[in-house]
Amino acid sequence: AQRVTQPEKLLSVFKGAPVELKCNYSYSGSPELFWYVQYSRQRLQLLLRHISRESIKGFTADLNKGETSFHLKKPFAQEEDSAMYYCALLNYGGATNKLIFGTGTLLAVQP
Amino acid sequence: EAQVTQNPRYLITVTGKKLTVTCSQNMNHEYMSWYRQDPGLGLRQIYYSMNVEVTDKGDVPEGYKVSRKEKRNFPLILESPSPNQTSLYFCASSGLGGNSPLHFGNGTRLTVT
């Protein structure tokens, strides 16, 4: 079954420390993965997608098919990075393309 | 400005009193969807729509209805709300195809007493 797992509910780091938010997926086809971010009292917004191979706000994520992972990384955390982060998998199914979300990880960056 | 607009932002109601949460997008998106966000459960899809008059159940459709009479609007209807529907609700839209990201509304926090 298609599934996205984010094992950590909360990740607390100090400002300037490296950050890695874990995401593992289960998908039978070729996966298409995204990271969404939700800052306090704001809407969810797309942070990055693996097909773009981009770096947004210093964050990167590499798809590792061998480990079925798509971890989100940033070398030096900033306080403004504190937010809820969701990993999502696009599930292609006939006429329906559906995003499957993980349960989210709350990143708290301490000063 | 391209956006998804939900109303109201906050709603407190009592068990059994019908309510509607509106959602409108101005991006001419075919796909629209409703999610509920609960602590520890993440985002779960309630209903989605691929186009006008085309709606389908998501993962947790029980107790909800939707309609898609116009492309821009996708209201969420709770005919008889119950306390277990207390949640934060998000509407989202996108074009069809994997490269089109989901655009989310600001959310509606519903409390059913």
Side-chain angles (χ1 to χ4, degrees):
Chain A
Q2 293 79 7
R3 184 179 299 149
V4 175
T5 304
Q6 293 180 252
E8 301 146 325
K9 284 190 167 83
L10 171 66
L11 180 64
S12 183
V13 301
F14 286 104
K15 178 182 171 181
V19 171
E20 182 179 70
L21 297 164
K22 291 185 167 48
C23 172
N24 288 90
Y25 66 90
S26 173
Y27 190 63
S28 55
S30 185
E32 199 162 336
L33 289 145
F34 305 79
W35 277 98
Y36 280 80
V37 60
Q38 185 180 26
Y39 300 102
S40 181
R41 301 180 192 278
Q42 293 186 29
R43 70 184 72 199
L44 279 95
Q45 53 189 291
L46 179 67
L47 181 62
L48 55 80
R49 62 190 102 173
H50 92 269
I51 57 172
S52 301
R53 292 184 160 278
E54 56 206 344
S55 174
I56 304 292
K57 300 184 180 183
F59 284 98
T60 59
D62 291 318
L63 178 61
N64 186 324
K65 291 187 179 181
E67 296 182 358
T68 59
S69 69
F70 187 56
H71 304 327
L72 184 68
K73 299 177 184 178
K74 185 169 182 176
F76 308 104
Q78 304 297 315
E79 288 181 67
E80 55 264 31
D81 295 328
S82 295
M84 193 74 171
Y85 291 81
Y86 287 96
C87 184
L89 167 71
L90 187 63
N91 181 23
Y92 288 98
T96 305
N97 293 339
K98 175 181 167 180
L99 266 185
I100 300 171
F101 287 89
T103 50
T105 298
L106 180 62
L107 173 64
V109 181
Q110 313 292 338
Chain B
E1 181 191 349
Q3 60 185 359
V4 178
T5 304
Q6 289 177 235
N7 279 298
R9 292 291 307 275
Y10 302 93
L11 180 58
I12 300 174
T13 189
V14 296
T15 299
K17 186 175 181 183
K18 180 180 178 179
L19 65 92
T20 299
V21 185
T22 64
C23 174
S24 180
Q25 50 93 4
N26 62 1
M27 294 166 279
N28 202 35
H29 284 160
E30 292 86 359
Y31 181 89
M32 296 187 75
S33 181
W34 276 102
Y35 296 86
R36 58 179 289 174
Q37 184 183 33
D38 300 291
L41 298 175
L43 284 157
R44 293 180 293 169
Q45 190 178 48
I46 303 170
Y47 268 94
Y48 64 94
S49 169
M50 301 295 288
N51 216 322
V52 176
E53 302 291 1
V54 181
T55 62
D56 277 296
K57 294 178 180 178
D59 299 315
V60 287
E62 293 78 21
Y64 304 95
K65 284 173 58 177
V66 292
S67 71
R68 189 89 182 273
K69 294 187 170 61
E70 305 162 284
K71 198 171 186 179
R72 63 183 292 121
N73 295 324
F74 191 46
L76 179 69
I77 303 153
L78 284 72
E79 294 271 3
S80 183
S82 61
N84 65 12
Q85 292 178 298
T86 293
S87 186
L88 179 57
Y89 291 87
F90 286 98
C91 181
S93 74
S94 75
L96 294 178
N99 288 335
S100 184
L102 270 179
H103 295 261
F104 283 87
N106 274 324
T108 296
R109 185 166 291 283
L110 172 66
T111 302
V112 184
T113 61

